[in-house]
């Protein structure tokens, strides 16, 4: 039997159960735990199966204009992706130049520079390898490198997927606590623009909740004192917030933490010591840092998701790369096992090709 209007077999509609299944699994998993990296895989399975079914459905309509418009949009999208891919090294170097002019010249701020140079050098190194190494060795190295790069890019894409989705986290305006994560101070005691964005985001949330339910959350400003700082970050942050209208009794400085993990652990202890039963907690950081901070909060046993403050766009590529590297290294044991298996597979395939 066929659909009289679109000339599509009726059984074809059963195919829509596939994206519905993956979408349902993603929705349930995400509602249970937003801070799980594996949610990105379920979302990608939903998204791409949905696109595939949508494309087949459009083709099955035999509607000329609908097919032409859809195909044109698809080709334009592919061209845009192709242009970005072809120019990726130059875009990375351009971003590195902007960061170099506007930010400090630290190793963390030069990640796009190193990556851009590596992409430009890759063809040259490949040419040298194929010229001077035996063919089996060069083939094996190329195969192994390709598998590792695909593996790293797969998890990077998965991380980006979850980072974007996590930005849509909108906690209800009935929080008991907000935790503002610290960052370095300027001149030893001044709140930096980046840190100020975090505090301002928390103050905005506080004021909106106050208007809605008549009670704002207690805000914990979490950050210890670095070697080049004259006051703890938490103290400077608290004073900044009070100077911008936050009542002192609603502001707590946590001044011992040195890492994001300690931010979560020490803030959790402050909340527990205040005796709040099943507290509703949200943390505040910059948007690029929210997902990894959420993973750290989960590790610390703190039931809290995050909201992100604005970050200058030129700073995002370096920041996102740094966040991904931190997550990747944090799971180094699993990745080392995976890379080891890829090495074994490379050796087996190379041996089979040249000695089989």
């Amino acid at each position: 039997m066929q659909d009289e209007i679109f000339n599509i077999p009726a059984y074809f509609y059963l195919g829509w159960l596939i994206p519905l299944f993956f979408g349902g699994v993603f929705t349930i998993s995400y509602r249970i735990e937003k801070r799980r990296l594996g949610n990105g895989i379920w979302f990608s399975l939903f998204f791409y199966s949905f696109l595939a079914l949508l494309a087949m459905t459009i083709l099955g309509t035999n509607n000329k204009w609908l097919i032409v418009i859809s195909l044109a949009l698809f080709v334009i999208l592919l061209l845009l992706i192709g242009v970005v891919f072809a120019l990726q090294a130059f875009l990375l170097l351009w971003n590195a130049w902007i960061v170099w002019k506007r930010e400090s010249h630290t190793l963390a701020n030069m990640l796009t520079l190193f990556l851009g140079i590596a992409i430009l050098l890759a063809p040259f190194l490949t040419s040298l390898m194929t010229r001077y190494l035996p063919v089996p060795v060069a083939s094996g190295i190329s195969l192994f490198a390709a598998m590792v790069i695909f593996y790293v890019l797969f998890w990077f894409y998965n991380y980006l997927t979850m980072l974007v989705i996590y930005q849509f986290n909108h906690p209800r305006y009935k929080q008991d606590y907000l935790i503002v994560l610290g960052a370095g101070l300027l001149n030893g005691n001044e709140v930096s623009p980046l840190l100020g964005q975090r505090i301002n985001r928390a103050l905005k949330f506080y004021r909106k909740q106050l208007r809605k339910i008549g009670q704002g959350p207690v805000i914990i400003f979490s950050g210890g004192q670095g070697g080049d700082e004259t006051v703890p970050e938490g103290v400077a942050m608290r004073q900044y917030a009070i100077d911008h209208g936050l009542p002192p009794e609603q502001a707590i400085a946590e001044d011992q933490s040195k890492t994001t993990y300690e931010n979560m652990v020490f803030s959790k202890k402050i909340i527990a010591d205040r005796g709040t039963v099943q507290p509703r907690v949200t943390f505040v950081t910059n948007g690029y840092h929210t997902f990894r901070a959420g993973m750290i909060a989960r590790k610390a046993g703190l039931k809290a998701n995050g909201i992100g403050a604005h970050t200058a766009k030129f700073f995002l590529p370096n920041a996102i790369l740094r966040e991904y590297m931190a997550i990747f290294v944090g799971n180094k044991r699993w990745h080392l096992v995976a890379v080891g298996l890829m090495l074994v597979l490379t050796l087996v395939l190379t041996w089979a090709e040249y000695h089989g």
Side-chain angles (χ1 to χ4, degrees):
M1 182 184 294
Q2 294 184 332
D3 189 296
E4 295 180 359
I5 299 176
F6 296 124
N7 196 34
I8 300 174
Y11 62 79
F12 176 80
Y13 294 116
L14 292 176
W16 284 99
L17 293 175
I18 297 173
L20 284 176
F21 170 76
F22 289 134
V25 173
F26 164 76
T27 301
I28 294 171
S29 180
Y30 188 71
R31 286 180 66 88
I32 293 173
E33 178 53 81
K34 292 181 173 68
R35 304 166 293 181
R36 188 179 294 127
L37 194 60
N39 289 334
I41 297 175
W42 290 114
F43 180 83
S44 294
L45 288 171
F46 155 72
F47 182 69
Y48 290 108
S49 62
F50 171 81
L51 288 183
L53 264 296
L54 180 62
M56 287 188 283
T57 301
I58 291 173
L59 291 174
T61 64
N62 292 324
N63 184 312
K64 179 181 177 181
W65 286 109
L66 180 60
I67 293 173
V68 169
I69 292 172
S70 301
L71 186 60
L73 291 174
F74 179 69
V75 170
I76 291 172
L77 178 61
L78 284 183
L79 287 174
L80 288 174
I81 294 173
V83 169
V84 172
F85 185 80
L87 298 177
Q88 59 182 321
F90 300 102
L91 292 173
L92 287 168
L93 293 175
W94 177 55
N95 176 259
W97 178 69
I98 295 174
V99 173
W100 183 272
K101 290 203 311 180
R102 300 189 184 185
E103 296 290 330
S104 59
H105 302 163
T106 62
L107 186 64
N109 285 339
M110 291 189 283
L111 292 177
T112 51
L113 173 64
F114 298 145
L115 184 57
I117 293 173
I119 292 172
L120 288 178
L121 289 179
F124 175 71
L125 295 175
T126 301
S127 177
L128 286 179
M129 183 176 64
T130 55
R131 180 178 298 180
Y132 294 106
L133 291 179
V135 174
V137 175
S139 297
I141 293 175
S142 297
L143 178 59
F144 178 66
M147 286 194 288
V148 171
I149 290 171
F150 176 81
Y151 179 80
V152 172
L153 289 178
F154 171 82
W155 285 111
F156 181 62
Y157 176 79
N158 191 58
Y159 159 70
L160 280 182
T161 299
M162 286 311 303
L163 179 63
V164 171
I165 291 173
Y166 200 76
Q167 303 310 303
F168 293 93
N169 176 50
H170 298 295
R172 296 180 180 179
Y173 290 98
K174 55 178 184 179
Q175 302 301 302
D176 298 306
Y177 294 92
L178 295 181
I179 301 171
V180 184
L181 305 184
L185 300 176
L186 294 178
N187 303 317
N189 62 356
E190 299 175 14
V191 170
S192 67
L194 182 141
L195 185 53
Q197 291 283 1
R198 298 183 185 185
I199 301 171
N200 292 335
R201 180 69 179 90
L203 292 176
K204 180 180 178 181
F205 190 99
Y206 172 88
R207 291 168 184 144
K208 192 160 187 178
Q209 178 171 311
L210 187 62
R211 290 196 302 269
K212 281 183 170 292
I213 66 174
Q215 176 63 51
V218 173
I219 304 181
I220 300 173
F221 300 94
S222 181
Q225 185 171 338
D228 59 346
E229 296 171 340
T230 58
V231 297
E233 294 167 10
V235 173
M237 293 159 66
R238 180 179 184 273
Q239 188 58 53
Y240 176 98
I242 292 173
D243 291 343
H244 285 75
L246 182 67
E249 63 274 12
Q250 294 294 108
I252 299 175
E254 183 285 299
D255 58 5
Q256 299 300 311
S257 56
K258 303 295 184 183
T259 64
T260 303
Y261 180 77
E262 291 183 351
N263 287 149
M264 301 301 183
V265 170
F266 296 161
S267 297
K268 178 184 175 184
K269 185 177 185 305
I270 289 174
I271 294 170
D273 290 344
R274 287 171 62 90
T276 308
V277 179
Q278 294 185 334
R280 293 178 288 261
V281 184
T282 292
F283 64 83
V284 184
T285 184
N286 289 87
Y288 66 84
H289 184 48
T290 49
F291 185 70
R292 185 168 75 91
M295 295 176 70
I296 294 172
R298 182 186 178 195
K299 183 179 178 182
L302 179 63
K303 188 177 180 180
N305 283 291
I307 52 176
H310 173 75
T311 305
K313 291 182 175 58
F314 76 88
F315 189 72
L316 287 177
N318 262 297
I320 291 173
L321 283 174
R322 187 168 65 243
E323 292 293 298
Y324 172 65
M325 288 175 63
I327 290 176
F328 196 87
V329 171
N331 295 280
K332 56 182 176 294
R333 291 182 180 178
W334 290 106
H335 296 313
L336 285 173
V337 170
V339 171
L341 292 174
M342 284 185 273
L343 178 58
V344 172
L345 180 60
T346 299
L347 294 173
V348 170
L349 292 176
T350 303
W351 177 267
E353 181 178 357
Y354 292 98
H355 298 86

